[in-house]
Amino acid sequence: MRATLELIKTWTEALVPVCNHSQSHASQELKWLMQHAKQVALIQEQQLKATNASNIVAGQRGRGTLSPYEIELLQGYVDQRVKTRKPLQYILGTQPFMDLEILTRPPTLIPRWETEEWTARLATTLKNEPSLFSSANLSSRFNILDICSGSGCIPLGLASSLPPFSSHLFGADIHPKAVQLASDNEAKNRDLLNGNTVEFHQVDLLAPHAVDTFLSWTREKASSSSGASGYNLVISNPPYIAHEEYDTLEPEVSQWEDPKALLADEEGLVFYPRIAQMAMQLLSQKSSSSPSSSAGSSDSVSSLHEEGSSHIERQWKNGPEVDKVRIPELVFEIGGDHQVDCVRDAVRDAGFSRVQVWKDLADRARCIVGAR
């Protein structure tokens, strides 16, 4: 027991410098790593249960102590965090996102809390518009396209929160490893998606026929049902870090995550005009049975609240109230307040008449939301 406590102390002290010099943060990371080591050891023990090799995995231990194999695993995990700055999520192999567990593998970007926050807000905003998912509209599913989908966390999180069998969601990414990971995440979480379909494809959004490719997916769905082609909502969390900012990133980001998924030319803004213009071509014509997405409302989006939701426990923060977007048709994640004006102008220039800024918990501008 004393040996275990000494090891825990040593490991915690080693983790402090890579945990913002926070003792409590380091202690929490070590707890997660210990839980992971025990799970790995248990799986190995079960696999080798029929042989004497199981003794090598589990070893003899008393209550509150670690087996030799668990110590070996933990020492390796701590070394990876301290010596190579491998992100905790890559070591654990998963990251919670809303009610899902998202698989994480380098170099695909790890889901961030900021993205989780606005995804939950978007799901709540959509669900609080009753006519979108009324029984009269269920024959025509709500089509959502996520461009630069990465791990697939955004469309999967939305699918798990939207009404059952109400939506088709599509994710697009240029990187084959990201598409494979997203597909693996769909398979892992399929039982939690409420019967909403989510599929992922490899596409270069800058390719000449990208719009036709995106539209072909909804046409395939429409041909097998009475639904219409085109999208009701386009979302994107594109690369938005300027090249000059790259050297300021933590090693966990710069040394492990794909630079192509992080960096963008023109001060991080190059993709926004292209995607905004594409969105205008991708959005379906508004149905006469649907409420106007540009209509204002006396109940601001910031006051939407879903009873019993573990994710929605506060009033949402908005930027300057120039417009209120009741039903979003385009949602961009951005890198902060310094990108608001340029991205907002790109959305307006593409033809969206109403544009709103959504802020995150840190009171930073996080999303530009548009509607026609």
Side-chain angles (χ1 to χ4, degrees), residues 143 153 363:
N143 290 327
C153 60
D363 204 34

Side-chain angles (χ1 to χ4, degrees), residues 13 47 65 75 106 148-149 166 197 256 289 292 320-321 327 349:
E13 291 175 351
Q47 291 174 343
T65 63
Q75 186 62 60
C148 304
S149 203
S166 67
T197 64
W256 285 92
S289 63
S292 172
E321 290 295 349
I327 304 176
D349 289 346

Side-chain angles (χ1 to χ4, degrees), residues 248-261:
T248 68
L249 300 177
E250 293 291 334
E252 285 85 350
V253 177
S254 62
Q255 295 178 17
W256 285 92
E257 295 186 307
D258 186 357
K260 293 180 180 178

Side-chain angles (χ1 to χ4, degrees), residues 69 81 141 146 206 234 260 310 326 347-348:
Y69 182 61
R81 279 293 288 127
R141 291 211 184 186
D146 177 29
L206 299 180
V234 176
K260 293 180 180 178
S310 60
R326 179 177 165 191
V347 172
R348 288 196 185 280

Side-chain angles (χ1 to χ4, degrees), residues 45 47 59 128 151 177 181 189 205 235 279 317 319 337 361 366:
E45 183 178 4
Q47 291 174 343
N128 275 273
S151 67
K177 288 184 178 179
L181 179 59
N189 292 283
L205 72 90
I235 55 182
K317 297 180 180 179
D337 301 82
L361 277 170
R366 186 54 56 193

